[in-house]
Every structure is written in C-alpha cells, then in structure tokens.
Amino acid sequence: KNEVEQSPQNLTAQEGEFITINCSYSVGISALHWLQQHPGGGIVSLFMLSSGKKKHGRLIATINIQEKHSSLHITASHPRDSAVYICAVETLLSGGYNKLIFGAGTRLAVHP
Amino acid sequence: DSGVTQTPKHLITATGQRVTLRCSPRSGDLSVYWYQQSLDQGLQFLIQYYNGEERAKGNILERFSAQQFPDLHSELNLSSLELGDSALYFCASSVAPVTSGTWYNEQFFGPGTRLTVL
C-alpha cells in the first residue's frame, strides 16, 4: 500500500463545476503540499499546510491531521485548471530533515 | 517562472553513457532537492543538499551522484545509464531545510530535464 493515496486518478469536469480531489496518507507528517503539474511538465506549488484550511483564489485546501486526510477544492472550474494535481507529504528523516513523499497524482480535464 | 533553472531541457543518450544535469536555485535559497519522475514510479525524492553539504538521501541509485557547489548550484550525475533511467528530473530549491515542529519550507521547482536513454 502506498504511503500517499490520491483519488480519483482521473477527473473530467465541465467548466464551472466544483471539484474535489482527495489525499490520504499513512505516515506521520509535518506538512502537506499540493502541487500542480502543467501539461508541459512544469510543477508549481499551490499550498503547503500543516493544519486547518487555506484559500487562494478559487482554490481551497483543507487538512484533517487526526484522520490523515486532505482535500483540494476548485470552485468555478475553468479549462485552464486542466493539469495533474499532486499531493505530497513531508516526513521527518533522522537528523531533523524532511523529505517529500508524493501521491500518484490526479489528472483533471475541464471542458468548456 | 519559479526562479529555479535547469539545463539542459532535453537530453538524449545511449545506454551505458554518463550525463550531468545542472540546477541553479533561486537567489538566496540554500537547499537544493533532486527528484525523478518516471511513468511507472511517479515523483520520487532522490537527494537533498544544504549549503554545499548532503543532508538527506532518498531512492537514489548508487550509479547516481550529486553535489552542490560553493555558488549553490547543483549537479546530478547519472552514470552507466539504463533504459529505465529515462525520466523527468526535477530540481527544487528552498530557503533552508525543514526541521519538524519549527517552520515549513515551500519548495520551488525548476522546469525539469527530460532524459531519454536509447
């Protein structure tokens, strides 16, 4: 079983729909990241959170530490939101340094 | 534009060869991370450097090595290349390494180097 599981793997939506992508993890973490990977391959950091909720424009990320679960929501989706969304958790290594463990990603396609 | 640069963008080489990938972090960032993204394994952490010193190792093969230079740029060396090494290699940088319970570092990713081994 993977340490970071994302669902769904693939998601198709119509423009304007509300979208939710889920991430569950099985390890202790210090923070959780949501990343966006564009069709060209570039990766952008969307959110980094350790508790509660963060909002940036039409994007909202929440995390429940007790349940080891995070969600990424996109309101009023737009075709330019089409990308792969990747959940990554920071885990503590010996020596006090952290590493990222990545989920497999959710491929989102938003159609006009 | 994240401010992290990687060269080359694309690299095509043959099995058994050796290549070097280069990364320049954002101005002021002391930490550099290397990641591999292959079709079957997804994104995987390879290695981290902080201010010239290796700090953490992930799933990095013995055929691979890296270093961070005094000007903070980093190089990832891949040798005795195999077909399975074909992947996107990303570099990311952050201000400092994270220590649990203190503060958290956003990582800024470079555009990646696409390596094809034929």
Side-chain angles (χ1 to χ4, degrees):
Chain A
K1 190 178 187 295
N2 294 332
E3 293 165 305
V4 182
E5 298 273 3
Q6 281 187 243
S7 62
Q9 277 189 312
N10 294 284
L11 188 51
T12 301
Q14 289 298 122
E15 184 173 355
E17 285 185 2
F18 180 85
I19 287 162
T20 296
I21 299 170
N22 295 300
C23 175
S24 296
Y25 53 91
S26 57
V27 294
I29 71 168
S30 52
L32 183 142
H33 299 247
W34 281 102
L35 309 172
Q36 180 192 53
Q37 186 167 25
H38 299 288
I43 294 176
V44 173
S45 175
L46 298 175
F47 293 104
M48 180 176 57
L49 64 167
S50 58
S51 64
K53 177 178 171 177
K54 284 191 175 180
K55 184 175 190 290
H56 184 235
R58 294 180 294 105
L59 301 179
I60 303 165
T62 63
I63 187 168
N64 185 320
I65 296 291
Q66 287 72 32
E67 296 192 1
K68 295 190 172 181
H69 181 269
S70 175
S71 293
L72 176 68
H73 305 286
I74 305 175
T75 61
S77 60
H78 190 276
R80 66 174 174 265
D81 297 325
S82 299
V84 176
Y85 292 83
I86 302 168
C87 169
V89 299
E90 285 201 49
T91 63
L92 181 64
L93 298 172
S94 60
Y97 294 90
N98 289 19
K99 77 166 188 178
L100 290 182
I101 303 174
F102 298 88
T106 295
R107 187 174 298 275
L108 171 65
V110 182
H111 299 295
Chain B
D1 183 357
S2 67
V4 179
T5 60
Q6 287 187 249
T7 56
K9 270 192 165 178
H10 302 276
L11 197 47
I12 301 174
T13 188
T15 55
Q17 294 298 305
R18 182 179 190 274
V19 297
T20 297
L21 312 183
R22 182 188 168 103
C23 169
S24 292
R26 290 187 323 155
S27 177
D29 284 359
L30 300 176
S31 265
V32 168
Y33 309 78
W34 285 98
Y35 298 98
Q36 179 193 58
Q37 186 179 38
S38 58
L39 279 174
D40 55 344
Q41 297 278 347
L43 268 165
Q44 291 194 92
F45 167 68
L46 293 178
I47 196 163
Q48 178 200 351
Y49 280 83
Y50 173 68
N51 205 19
E53 293 186 18
E54 181 185 305
R55 285 306 186 190
K57 261 186 173 179
N59 303 323
I60 188 166
L61 299 172
E62 283 190 15
R63 300 183 285 108
F64 297 180
S65 65
Q67 57 184 132
Q68 187 179 26
F69 294 87
D71 67 352
L72 300 178
H73 92 270
S74 179
E75 293 181 356
L76 179 67
N77 301 296
L78 315 176
S79 61
S80 303
L81 284 167
E82 302 175 359
L83 295 177
D85 298 327
S86 295
L88 260 173
Y89 290 85
F90 288 99
C91 158
S93 74
S94 66
V95 172
V98 176
T99 54
S100 179
T102 55
W103 51 289
Y104 311 101
N105 262 318
E106 181 177 7
Q107 292 186 24
F108 295 86
F109 285 78
T113 293
R114 186 174 295 278
L115 173 66
T116 303
V117 182
L118 301 175

